[in-house]
């Protein structure tokens, strides 16, 4: 954690954090916003594979949500990463991601990471590219869900980023 993050604490989300995670995701204007209910469920059911950054008052200011893939139990799928606007530019997303992966590696034996990124999301492309570099891991990309699969109107394709094996 950098000096600019010294007043922050990273831990597991609690159900009470769901509303704040929903707000951070909504305010990001970059993520596909899920229902507020889904963030509450996520904080209950996937707290072990997710992380939240808290300010000095204990309020969430950033998060990473993820889960271990049932058919690939050594792979963490990162669902969403978001940081409150007031805390951006401090490397918090990278710290959250590094901390989460270290924890799930120790607890679940995770050796690889996957995420999807829409083309043009340069912040996420940089975040996961630099993660792969920091951890000496290969990074592969392929279209996972082409535009034609989305039933609710125009949607950019989702490109799968597969990173691993990880050396932490």
């Amino acid at each position: 954690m950098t000096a600019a993050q010294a007043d922050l604490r990273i831990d597991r989300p609690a159900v009470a954090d769901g509303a704040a995670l929903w707000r951070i995701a909504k305010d990001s204007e970059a993520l596909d916003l899920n229902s507020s209910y889904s963030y509450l469920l996520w904080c209950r059911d996937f707290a072990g594979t997710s992380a939240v950054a808290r300010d000095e008052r204990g309020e969430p200011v950033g998060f990473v949500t993820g889960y271990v893939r049932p058919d690939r139990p050594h792979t963490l799928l990162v669902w969403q990463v978001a940081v409150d606007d007031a805390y951006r530019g401090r490397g918090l997303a990278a710290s959250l991601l590094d901390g989460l992966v270290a924890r799930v590696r120790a607890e679940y034996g995770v050796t690889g990471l996957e995420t999807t990124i829409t083309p043009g999301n340069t912040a996420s492309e940089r975040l996961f590219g630099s993660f792969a570099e920091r951890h000496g891991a290969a990074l592969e990309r392929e279209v996972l869900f082409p535009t034609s699969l989305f039933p609710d109107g125009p949607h950019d394709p989702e490109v799968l980023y597969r990173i691993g094996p990880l050396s932490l």
Side-chain angles (χ1 to χ4, degrees), residues 57 68 141:
R57 296 171 292 127
V68 173
R141 297 172 190 87

Side-chain angles (χ1 to χ4, degrees), residues 89-104:
R90 301 182 187 190
L92 182 54
S95 292
L96 275 162
L97 190 58
D98 287 348
L100 174 61
V101 171
R103 178 166 40 92
V104 297

Side-chain angles (χ1 to χ4, degrees), residues 54-68:
R54 299 181 189 284
D55 66 12
E56 64 281 347
R57 296 171 292 127
E59 296 298 317
V61 297
F63 69 88
V64 176
T65 53
Y67 62 89
V68 173

